[in-house]
Amino acid sequence: SKTGKDKPAKAKSGGKAKKKKWAKGKTRDKLNNAPMFDKTTYGKLYDEVPKYKLITPSIVSERLKVRGSLARFGLQELHEKGMIKLVDKHANQVIYTRNSNEVDAE
């Protein structure tokens, strides 16, 4: 039978150490993205976006400062009008690219 003497001697000053402070959570700047297209951003959607090589809702949202849902609808519209080409459609990520024939025309 083992007695209490076999166990290693634990440090006797337990609980006197300084209490650990929680790290302050990193705060993100609030994105103030527009919930609706106005004339200028809608114009940009038609002028600039079809020239991007890689087009995703997140890129459009970031560059035009519009909401992601709005970017999604805008891209669907461009795709229906044949201005951009669908590369891959997934449940939560849609990838488009510019039409190659438009690049040749430039």
Side-chain angles (χ1 to χ4, degrees):
S1 69
K2 289 188 174 179
T3 56
K5 288 174 184 139
D6 295 340
K7 289 177 183 166
K10 284 200 174 112
K12 299 223 168 30
S13 62
K16 284 191 181 123
K18 214 173 200 180
K19 202 163 176 237
K20 186 181 187 311
K21 291 269 197 296
W22 284 97
K24 298 270 187 291
K26 288 191 175 68
T27 51
R28 254 177 87 230
D29 291 339
K30 186 132 173 50
L31 290 172
N32 200 5
N33 287 356
M36 281 176 77
F37 279 121
D38 49 31
K39 282 235 162 65
T40 50
T41 43
Y42 198 65
K44 269 190 187 170
L45 177 79
Y46 273 81
D47 295 337
E48 295 174 16
V49 176
K51 294 185 180 124
Y52 297 164
K53 188 138 197 181
L54 170 70
I55 309 166
T56 63
S58 39
I59 291 173
V60 174
S61 160
E62 174 89 14
R63 294 193 191 165
L64 298 185
K65 293 273 175 279
V66 294
R67 298 241 169 108
S69 50
L70 196 57
R72 253 196 340 262
F73 283 114
L75 291 181
Q76 277 171 3
E77 193 176 298
L78 288 180
H79 182 241
E80 281 163 19
K81 294 191 174 174
M83 293 170 83
I84 55 178
K85 198 168 64 178
L86 183 67
V87 177
D88 187 29
K89 190 175 195 320
H90 194 264
N92 32 19
Q93 183 70 314
V94 193
I95 301 168
Y96 297 98
T97 188
R98 59 190 177 189
N99 281 341
S100 46
N101 56 3
E102 271 186 28
V103 179
D104 299 336
E106 279 174 15

